[in-house]
Amino acid sequence: MDEVPLRQEWIQRAACADEDPDLFFPVGSTGPAERDQEEAKRVCERCPVARQCLTYALRSGQTSGVWGGKDEGELAKLRRKRRGAADREPVGQEIRRAG
């Protein structure tokens, strides 16, 4: 797994910084939770650091909540896709990337 930096300066510029964190971590997947999740994604759409947020979530193994505009299911799908790409990467590429 990629290294995750300890300091995350981008967080201070996140559109969600002044939002209720519960919006991004709804309990359940239907009704009010579904509405919260969609609202959280709308916040992410206007966020200047959504890409950094998504990268952080994937690298640090976040499995719940909305990160970078992606919900839990979308995050899991992206992780599977990344693992599949890493499995197909030639050995020489893997060594160069790690160094």
Side-chain angles (χ1 to χ4, degrees):
M1 181 177 282
D2 297 327
E3 185 177 318
V4 179
L6 295 176
R7 296 183 64 199
Q8 305 295 329
E9 288 87 6
W10 56 266
I11 290 174
Q12 297 168 357
R13 298 187 326 270
C16 64
D18 294 326
E19 298 285 340
D20 181 355
D22 290 341
L23 184 66
F24 296 86
F25 296 93
V27 177
S29 59
T30 60
E34 189 175 27
R35 287 189 295 276
D36 284 352
Q37 184 173 294
E38 292 306 314
E39 178 60 28
K41 287 181 176 185
R42 283 192 288 279
V43 171
C44 294
E45 286 175 2
R46 63 179 167 81
C47 183
V49 294
R51 186 173 182 87
Q52 291 96 322
C53 179
L54 179 58
T55 298
Y56 171 80
L58 293 171
R59 288 182 177 172
S60 64
Q62 301 300 318
T63 58
S64 62
V66 174
W67 294 85
K70 305 294 183 198
D71 62 38
E72 295 169 10
E74 293 165 324
L75 289 170
K77 189 175 192 179
L78 286 170
R79 277 192 298 278
R80 285 191 300 272
K81 185 177 177 181
R82 288 180 73 177
R83 277 195 302 267
D87 291 345
R88 291 187 301 274
E89 190 174 82
V91 174
Q93 292 290 335
E94 186 177 313
I95 293 170
R96 271 185 256 141
R97 218 177 82 204

